């Protein structure tokens, strides 16, 4: 993952028990990955989770090793 995207994935023991989340949200990376694997488009994920950005979805995909949309 490139370093500019790396800053979009954070962990904090005080947020969701330390799960990896998209920075500035409480949306776990695992939820974004589940959506991508289920076939949702990045636009659909952002519509479902409005605190996300398309860059956040791309960062989660890179973090999880999922092929980009």
């Amino acid at each position: 993952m490139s370093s500019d995207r790396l800053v979009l994935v954070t962990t904090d023991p005080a947020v969701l028990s330390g799960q990896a989340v998209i920075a500035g949200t409480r949306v776990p990376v695992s939820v974004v990955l589940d959506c991508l694997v289920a076939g949702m488009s990045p636009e659909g994920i952002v519509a479902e989770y409005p605190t996300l950005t398309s860059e956040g979805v791309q960062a989660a995909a890179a973090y999880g090793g999922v092929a980009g949309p």
Side-chain angles (χ1 to χ4, degrees):
M1 178 181 341
S2 66
S3 61
D4 60 329
R5 295 264 164 81
L6 184 59
V7 299
L8 295 177
V9 177
T10 64
T11 59
D12 180 343
V15 177
L16 295 176
S17 300
Q19 291 183 52
V21 298
I22 304 303
T25 76
R26 293 182 62 86
V27 180
V29 169
S30 61
V31 168
V32 177
L33 293 175
D34 288 344
C35 290
L36 289 169
V37 170
M40 286 181 74
S41 69
E43 295 81 14
I45 298 169
V46 171
E48 187 73 25
Y49 300 96
T51 58
L52 287 177
T53 62
S54 60
E55 291 82 9
V57 174
Q58 292 171 7
Y63 182 83
V66 175

